[in-house]
Amino acid sequence: MTDNSELLFDIVERYFGIGAEDAKAFVHEFKAQNVAGGHWLFRQGEHADALYFLVRGRLQVWIEPDTGKEDQESRLVGEITPGEWVGEIGLLTGGVRTAGIRAIRDSQLLKLDRQSFEHFAVRHPNLVMQLAGSIARRLTERTRHAPDGARNLTTIALLPLDKSDWLPDFCERLTGELRKRVSTLCLTSDSLGKCGAPVDSVSAEESIPDSLRHWLDDQENEHRLLLYVADPGDTSWSRFCLRQSDIVFLLADADRDAGRRDWEKKLLEAGDAATARRALLLRHSASDGRIENTLEWLTPRNVKFHLHLRAGHRDETSRLCRVLLGDAIGLVLGGGAARGFAEIGAYRAIYESGVPIDWVGGTSIGGIIGAAIAKDLGPDYVLEASREAFVVGKPFGDYTLPLISLLRGKRMERLTQKHLHGEIENLPTPFFCVSTMLDSGDLHIHERGPIWQALRATAALPGMLPPAVIQRRLVVDGAVINNLPVDIMRDKVVGRVIAIDVSSRRTYTVDYDAIPSPWALMAGRLLPGRKRYRVPGVISVLMKSAEIGTAAKMRELAASADLLLRPPVDRFGITDINSFDEIVQAGYDYTREHLDKWLSADEKAVSRGS
């Protein structure tokens, strides 16, 4: 056994549900094992014969493509953080590994092989059943809350692409904000001695001494977060920082050349390079807060996501802090045509409560309103832009010869280009919307490119608006397969998800046995004394039909949100543009009430807004 005995006693007792004395005996069956960053603990298809507990470090879970499917790539499906187990199923069932486990950084584990487990189980047969129950509970929890890259981050690498005058102040401000919440230590190659390390500094080519490695291990135990500030280049300190980190942020100045630096390939893409997910942190010095040319920085680099830092916008440093602490909030807006105006009121209530929105995603009308929110201009802008676009602009009145659709869609294009011009990657708040590939039925996630094109695609309801063209393929409304993309948001670096569902849940009954003829419908509307039938219009039928196929999935996704808001908008019609203000107010009033309850019950949520 190792020096982690006391820690493991407690964990084994809780995890396996056995008494303290049995736990102490069981602990001695474990063996210590180290895995270097970038190396595999085991590969998919290997014989499954052991259970592992992660003491320190971070692991990735990879799924290999099916044999014969050469066009598919390996998929990263989750991450294992300290205090978690891996390989439980293999320990019980034997067989082969159903996924591969790779170390993101140098990791320490404790191993329990099948032989040791069986030896102990002979004396404690109830252990097998307790282990099976624990596995079932944990699998259920993991399925409900999909793993993301911001869970339990401990060590963060900040890799500057250039020497920048703003960097020291930024690191000091970031560390200061983090220390308001958790114990944080910020380390640079020339400040080690000031922090109490056994060496004063590390030069560019100097190897990292063992004494410093051991000291840093101790610091990881003493502090909630370690910030490793790498050198702007391929130095020994930079390589060490990346090998020790759960996540790597590339720090860039938007005023500089966006091309890849000569040393980036060697440091980040060599065979022994760190495998932690990477993100781009792009600083903009423009006094007006303007964000431009982000795509030029993203294209030559393999990053999972990006965040903007605008000079004078300290709230964006706070967003980064929430990401690092796993406290970031994602807002998901569902589709529902005119009922989606309630999402505008809901946003105002969230904004007034002080709850920050760190990521926005949506489908159909939810995507359109979400893009307006992501511009970070406040609820007044979202309200007035939406009023001008939908009430004044009347995009649902753009009728055409119904060869492809009832509406031409040109009016919608003009309105989105006018009010939501620019590119998604340049939005201050990270944003995505979804559409459906018409040929394959696959989900398409829009995270880059012109905003208006993405919105044209996410709201292209089949039959109502013509399909959009994305990369020479036809796409239609995202509501066809995912009307409330909570699952997509869960894959972002957010800790909590607020979802707004404006789909109808009413049961409708009619007072006739068959649909009346068009003549009977016309007579009921025009002639006095004739019966008037309640029959939905073509647009309403098309919109409601699009929801039917995903109704079950929507209920599942809605249930996985941390806060689900369902404003009372069933009484409004799908195309009831004239009730704009009333629908907005309904969303505002409902959200204020339910958000207050959530904040009162969740102290962590309250602290985000402070």
Side-chain angles (χ1 to χ4, degrees):
M1 265 304 302
T2 69
D3 293 336
N4 297 289
S5 298
E6 290 301 325
L7 169 67
L8 196 60
F9 289 153
D10 178 61
I11 292 172
V12 166
E13 185 177 357
R14 288 185 287 108
Y15 182 84
F16 293 99
I18 58 181
E21 291 303 316
D22 290 337
K24 290 181 180 179
F26 194 28
V27 160
H28 292 288
E29 305 289 347
F30 286 83
K31 300 176 182 177
Q33 181 168 339
N34 295 323
V35 182
H39 290 209
W40 292 88
L41 176 62
F42 53 75
R43 302 296 294 263
Q44 183 174 326
E46 292 181 358
H47 180 59
D49 60 355
L51 165 76
Y52 299 88
F53 172 74
L54 181 60
V55 177
R56 178 181 291 125
R58 198 173 185 92
L59 309 173
Q60 292 174 332
V61 184
W62 288 89
I63 298 292
E64 302 290 339
D66 295 337
T67 304
K69 295 186 177 180
E70 297 181 357
D71 59 330
Q72 293 188 3
E73 298 180 349
S74 299
R75 290 186 299 118
L76 174 63
V77 297
E79 295 186 356
I80 307 298
T81 62
E84 294 185 332
W85 301 82
V86 63
E88 306 103 314
I89 296 177
L91 186 70
L92 286 181
T93 65
V96 298
R97 300 292 186 187
T98 57
I101 303 296
R102 189 181 189 188
I104 292 176
R105 62 185 181 95
D106 295 348
S107 301
Q108 299 176 8
L109 302 100
L110 295 171
K111 176 182 178 181
L112 175 67
D113 61 34
R114 188 174 183 83
Q115 182 178 357
S116 298
F117 176 74
E118 289 176 344
H119 178 261
F120 188 82
V122 169
R123 289 174 289 145
H124 302 271
N126 64 319
L127 178 63
V128 178
M129 293 301 297
Q130 291 168 341
L131 176 58
S134 297
I135 291 173
R137 288 191 299 272
R138 289 173 182 267
L139 287 176
T140 299
E141 182 178 349
R142 287 180 184 174
T143 301
R144 183 171 181 267
H145 294 290
D148 61 72
R151 292 184 309 127
N152 302 328
L153 294 175
T154 302
T155 56
I156 295 94
L158 304 177
L159 176 61
L161 298 183
D162 302 285
K163 290 184 178 180
S164 301
D165 293 338
W166 57 269
L167 185 59
D169 288 341
F170 165 72
C171 291
E172 182 178 354
R173 186 168 67 253
L174 176 63
T175 303
E177 285 206 34
L178 288 169
R179 283 175 176 164
K180 294 177 182 178
R181 298 280 305 280
V182 299
S183 175
T184 304
L185 181 63
C186 183
L187 300 163
T188 65
S189 60
D190 58 0
S191 69
L192 295 170
K194 298 176 182 178
C195 297
V199 297
D200 289 333
S201 61
V202 176
S203 62
E205 297 302 325
E206 181 183 357
S207 61
I208 306 300
D210 288 339
S211 60
L212 178 58
R213 293 176 185 271
H214 295 321
W215 180 81
L216 290 170
D217 285 344
D218 292 338
Q219 302 314 301
E220 191 170 334
N221 291 331
E222 293 182 14
H223 298 279
R224 169 65 176 80
L225 286 179
L226 293 187
L227 297 182
Y228 286 96
V229 183
D231 301 323
D234 180 19
T235 67
S236 62
W237 174 250
S238 293
R239 290 192 294 272
F240 178 77
C241 291
L242 268 58
R243 284 180 61 89
Q244 301 306 310
S245 298
D246 297 327
I247 191 169
V248 177
F249 282 89
L250 309 181
L251 305 187
D253 192 327
D255 294 337
R256 302 285 184 91
D257 176 26
R260 189 165 63 170
R261 286 26 178 183
D262 293 338
W263 51 266
E264 283 188 69
K265 182 175 182 179
K266 182 180 179 181
L267 183 63
L268 297 173
E269 299 178 16
D272 60 348
T275 60
R277 66 170 62 190
R278 299 168 198 154
L280 174 67
L281 196 60
L282 191 58
R283 182 183 183 272
H284 307 268
S285 60
S287 59
D288 59 1
R290 186 174 66 257
I291 298 175
E292 297 178 323
N293 305 323
T294 303
L295 189 60
E296 294 181 9
W297 289 90
L298 295 174
T299 299
R301 297 174 175 86
N302 179 22
V303 296
K304 184 67 175 178
F305 64 95
H306 68 279
L307 298 174
H308 293 291
L309 285 175
R310 291 174 292 173
H313 288 70
R314 290 180 174 267
D315 56 326
E316 291 173 348
T317 305
S318 299
R319 170 178 294 148
L320 177 59
C321 290
R322 291 190 292 273
V323 167
L324 298 181
L325 294 171
D327 287 347
I329 294 182
L331 177 65
V332 177
L333 309 175
R339 295 183 180 125
F341 299 150
E343 295 168 338
I344 302 171
Y347 166 56
R348 179 180 291 279
I350 294 171
Y351 183 91
E352 292 177 352
S353 73
V355 173
I357 296 173
D358 298 302
W359 219 288
V360 186
T363 300
S364 198
I365 184 71
I368 295 173
I369 293 172
I373 293 173
K375 289 180 74 70
D376 195 30
L377 296 175
D380 289 341
Y381 164 79
V382 176
L383 177 67
E384 295 310 318
S386 299
R387 185 195 308 279
E388 186 173 343
F390 289 101
V391 180
V392 179
K394 300 185 184 303
F396 297 146
D398 190 18
Y399 289 99
T400 186
L401 188 65
L403 297 178
I404 301 176
S405 59
L406 293 175
L407 305 179
R408 288 192 309 160
K410 295 299 182 182
R411 194 177 297 176
M412 178 75 79
E413 288 184 10
R414 288 196 302 270
L415 291 168
T416 51
Q417 288 183 56
K418 176 182 178 181
H419 297 286
L420 295 168
H421 54 82
E423 288 71 39
I424 295 175
E425 64 271 12
N426 290 334
L427 287 169
T429 303
F431 168 78
F432 72 86
C433 63
V434 298
S435 62
T436 305
M437 291 293 186
L438 190 58
D439 51 3
S440 64
D442 293 334
L443 188 73
H444 184 81
I445 305 174
H446 301 264
E447 295 180 288
R448 297 184 186 181
I451 300 171
W452 75 267
Q453 286 187 357
L455 301 184
R456 171 71 179 80
T458 192
L461 185 72
M464 180 179 172
L465 287 166
V469 179
I470 300 293
Q471 300 172 355
R472 291 190 172 275
R473 295 175 66 182
L474 298 178
V475 298
V476 294
D477 198 311
V480 172
I481 57 175
N482 192 336
N483 199 37
L484 194 67
V486 174
D487 53 338
I488 308 300
M489 184 62 79
R490 284 284 182 200
D491 193 44
K492 310 303 178 185
V493 283
V494 299
R496 298 290 178 88
V497 175
I498 300 174
I500 305 178
D501 176 13
V502 291
S503 61
S504 175
R505 293 170 299 279
R506 288 178 59 185
T507 299
Y508 293 90
T509 58
V510 297
D511 57 353
Y512 44 83
D513 297 322
I515 293 292
S517 69
W519 300 112
L521 294 176
M522 291 294 292
R525 295 176 183 179
L526 300 176
L527 300 178
R530 298 295 293 269
K531 181 177 180 180
R532 185 178 179 88
Y533 295 94
R534 291 180 63 251
V535 177
V538 175
I539 294 178
S540 295
V541 171
L542 289 172
M543 288 186 167
K544 187 60 184 175
S545 297
E547 294 180 0
I548 293 174
T550 60
K553 182 177 181 178
M554 268 195 65
R555 288 192 291 270
E556 178 183 346
L557 292 174
S560 68
D562 296 285
L563 174 62
L564 176 63
L565 299 171
R566 284 177 168 162
V569 291
D570 282 348
R571 68 183 185 276
F572 301 106
I574 288 177
T575 59
D576 193 359
I577 303 296
N578 293 331
S579 297
F580 177 87
D581 289 304
E582 193 176 351
I583 298 173
V584 171
Q585 189 65 39
Y588 176 79
D589 293 339
Y590 173 90
T591 301
R592 278 195 60 183
E593 176 185 353
H594 288 76
L595 191 63
D596 287 345
K597 293 178 180 178
W598 185 57
L599 294 175
S600 298
D602 193 336
E603 294 181 0
K604 195 175 182 183
V606 175
S607 66
R608 292 190 183 98
S610 60

